[in-house]
């Protein structure tokens, strides 16, 4: 994903927007109304609001979301049992099942909240399935097709960094409903955030591990991957889950389905042959998994998607 470089005028307009109090929601009632409207809208798959609100908010929503503290200090309770002290630069990625409550401790507390319906991620499933970025894999696992139930991801990034700017520009493009720009800016943000993730253990890069999986996708196993890396299968499994927020099996199955989708729309091979070519020995399992992840059978998918 190439970097996005905003112009000086865009930066000036962004900060003018952030400094205008009229652009902030200030009560729990306003926020609840905003979330309800977003849920009922069939046209919107992303939404954003800026909050400078009451001291306490019980944050319930049925969508994956990103919370970013612009200023001030906040105590957050995640799923009622995990307490976090947050300040400017703290960022939370939470899936739809996460319950968040927070309390502000400063009059200047401001928070950006970005809501994402699963369609936004699933429309780009082919891109995410082939991605080597850790944040992109996390988002695909937790916000997209797999709907993994991982703990929220909490990061702290420097203000005035590229990551900070990318979050703010993403929110602004979402508010302006400039849909053509939202996904590129979203990827720019994820690329920047990769720099603030914990490093992989023992010097292994996420890209190297994903490349190994892609290279041997049809036959790879956890044991063979562990042998290639020089670790035990147990350690390899834990390392993958910690760093990708997905299990080894989830990564492999998702990549196989995405490869099958490509073959269905770029070749005239029979569906049974496609199943074999992506590494499924059990054709009935392939059909079941494909429908579960894609929402239609392989035949229906091929019929609905013109041959490229």
């Amino acid at each position: 994903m190439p970097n996005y470089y905003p112009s000086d005028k865009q930066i000036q307009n962004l900060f003018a927007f952030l400094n205008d109090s009229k652009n902030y929601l200030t009560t729990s009632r306003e926020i609840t109304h905003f979330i309800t409207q977003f849920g009922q809208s069939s046209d919107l798959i992303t939404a954003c609001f800026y909050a400078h609100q009451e001291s306490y908010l019980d944050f319930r929503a049925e969508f994956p979301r990103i919370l970013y503290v612009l200023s001030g200090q906040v105590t957050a309770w995640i799923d009622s049992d995990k307490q976090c002290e947050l300040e400017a630069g703290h960022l939370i990625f939470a899936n739809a099942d996460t319950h968040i409550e927070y309390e502000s401790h400063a009059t200047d507390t401001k928070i950006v909240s970005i809501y994402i319906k699963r369609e936004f991620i699933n429309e780009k499933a082919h891109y995410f399935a082939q991605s080597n970025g850790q944040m992109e894999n996390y988002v695909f696992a937790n916000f997209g097709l797999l709907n993994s139930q991982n703990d929220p991801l909490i990061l702290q990034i420097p203000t005035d960094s590229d990551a900070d700017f990318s979050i703010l520009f993403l929110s602004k493009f979402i508010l302006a409903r400039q849909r053509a720009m939202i996904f590129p800016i979203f990827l720019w943000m994820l690329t920047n955030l990769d720099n603030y993730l914990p490093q992989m253990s023992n010097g292994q890069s996420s890209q190297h591990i994903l490349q190994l999986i892609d290279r041997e996708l049809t036959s790879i196993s956890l044991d063979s991957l562990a042998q290639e890396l020089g670790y035990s299968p147990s350690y390899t499994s834990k390392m993958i889950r910690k760093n990708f927020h997905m299990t080894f099996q989830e990564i492999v199955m998702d990549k196989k389905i995405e490869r099958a989708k490509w073959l269905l729309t770029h070749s005239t091979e029979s569906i049974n042959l496609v199943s074999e070519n992506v590494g499924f020995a059990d054709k009935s399992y392939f059909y079941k998994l494909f429908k579960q992840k894609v929402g239609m059978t392989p035949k229906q998918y091929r019929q609905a998607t013109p041959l490229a």
Side-chain angles (χ1 to χ4, degrees):
M1 169 65 195
N3 285 331
Y4 171 79
Y5 295 103
S7 67
D8 290 342
K9 184 176 181 180
Q10 286 177 311
I11 294 173
Q12 291 171 1
N13 289 341
L14 174 65
F15 283 101
F17 181 90
L18 294 175
N19 291 327
D20 189 342
S21 60
K22 297 194 299 294
N23 295 316
Y24 289 81
L25 303 183
T26 58
T27 68
S28 297
R29 184 176 180 179
E30 287 179 319
I31 293 172
T32 301
H33 178 67
F34 174 91
I35 296 170
T36 301
Q37 283 191 316
F38 175 57
Q40 293 173 346
S41 171
S42 58
D43 297 327
L44 296 177
I45 57 174
T46 57
C48 172
F49 67 82
Y50 296 80
H52 184 189
Q53 78 287 339
E54 299 166 343
S55 61
Y56 175 80
L57 180 64
D58 189 346
F59 214 82
R60 295 182 181 274
E62 58 185 36
F63 312 103
R65 55 212 185 273
I66 303 168
L67 276 65
Y68 184 52
V69 182
L70 287 173
S71 61
Q73 296 177 322
V74 174
T75 298
W77 292 269
I78 299 174
D79 292 329
S80 301
D81 59 357
K82 183 177 181 180
Q83 181 175 325
C84 307
E85 301 300 327
L86 310 176
E87 58 186 13
H90 269 111
L91 181 71
I92 300 177
F93 279 75
N95 61 31
D97 300 302
T98 301
H99 174 210
I100 299 177
E101 305 165 73
Y102 64 78
E103 184 174 8
S104 168
H105 300 303
T107 57
D108 67 337
T109 297
K110 294 178 180 178
I111 294 174
V112 179
S113 297
I114 297 172
Y115 285 77
I116 299 171
K117 291 180 181 176
R118 296 198 184 281
E119 302 95 281
F120 177 71
I121 304 299
N122 295 342
E123 285 177 357
K124 306 292 185 179
H126 181 67
Y127 172 86
F128 282 107
Q130 298 184 49
S131 169
N132 290 331
Q134 291 187 62
M135 279 303 305
E136 290 172 356
N137 277 280
Y138 173 85
V139 165
F140 188 44
N142 289 276
F143 289 12
L145 289 167
L146 295 177
N147 191 22
S148 300
Q149 305 301 309
N150 291 306
D151 290 337
L153 179 64
I154 302 175
L155 303 175
Q156 184 167 24
I157 62 176
T159 55
D160 296 329
S161 64
D162 282 350
D164 173 70
F165 281 125
S166 60
I167 295 166
L168 298 179
F169 272 100
L170 174 64
S171 66
K172 188 68 166 58
F173 278 115
I174 290 174
L175 282 172
R177 299 191 182 182
Q178 293 179 268
R179 188 161 182 173
M181 288 298 299
I182 291 173
F183 189 70
I185 301 297
F186 184 71
L187 294 184
W188 178 49
M189 176 192 71
L190 296 180
T191 299
N192 287 324
L193 291 176
D194 270 346
N195 296 324
Y196 302 99
L197 288 169
Q199 294 298 307
M200 294 284 282
S201 304
N202 293 328
Q204 292 290 347
S205 71
S206 59
Q207 290 84 354
H208 178 57
I209 291 175
L210 291 173
Q211 286 166 1
L212 291 175
I213 293 174
D214 280 329
R215 191 184 71 193
E216 307 292 340
L217 184 61
T218 59
S219 60
I220 197 161
S221 66
L222 182 60
D223 286 348
S224 64
L225 178 62
Q227 184 175 7
E228 182 80 23
L229 295 172
Y231 305 140
S232 70
S234 175
Y235 179 81
T236 300
S237 176
K238 290 177 182 177
M239 181 177 64
I240 288 174
R241 188 169 185 87
K242 177 181 178 182
N243 289 282
F244 292 101
H245 308 280
M246 302 168 70
T247 66
F248 167 77
Q249 192 68 8
E250 286 173 336
I251 293 173
V252 170
M253 289 298 104
D254 197 68
K255 285 183 174 291
K256 284 184 175 183
I257 292 298
E258 286 306 313
R259 186 172 292 185
K261 286 169 64 178
W262 191 91
L263 288 172
L264 287 168
T265 56
H266 289 77
S267 78
T268 57
E269 293 178 351
S270 70
I271 293 174
N272 284 345
L273 187 57
V274 167
S275 172
E276 292 177 12
N277 286 340
V278 297
F280 284 94
D282 185 341
K283 294 179 179 60
S284 62
Y285 178 64
F286 167 70
Y287 277 75
K288 178 181 178 181
L289 186 66
F290 191 98
K291 186 171 184 180
Q292 175 186 324
K293 290 186 176 294
V294 183
M296 58 182 79
T297 66
K299 182 178 180 180
Q300 290 170 335
Y301 181 80
R302 171 172 269 174
Q303 291 171 340
T305 310
L307 190 66

